[in-house]
Amino acid sequence: MASNAFALEEEFRGEGNVARAAVIASTPGHPQSGSLHFYQESARAAFEAAAAHSDQPDRTNLG
């Protein structure tokens, strides 16, 4: 159960980073434009952690 809670926190963190990256990318001359790649990488890492710590469907019985 704690693993699924962590996965949910990481998913929210990833979504927040994606939203922030979208604002930075869509605003010409944004003061944090030099940090855009950090937000993108952080989002990717958060989504990877969420996937690794969440219950995954059983794909052995697909019919």
Side-chain angles (χ1 to χ4, degrees):
M1 187 65 130
S3 184
N4 282 332
F6 174 74
L8 187 59
E9 286 181 26
E10 286 297 283
E11 185 174 340
F12 287 143
R13 184 172 71 92
E15 290 172 358
N17 282 326
V18 166
R20 187 70 181 145
V23 169
I24 294 169
S26 66
T27 306
H30 193 283
Q32 291 181 321
S33 62
S35 299
L36 178 59
H37 64 284
F38 291 117
Y39 285 98
Q40 294 167 329
E41 178 61 24
S42 182
R44 184 196 58 76
F47 289 132
E48 284 182 358
H53 290 88
S54 63
D55 293 333
Q56 300 296 319
D58 180 10
R59 298 200 169 266
T60 60
N61 189 15
L62 295 177

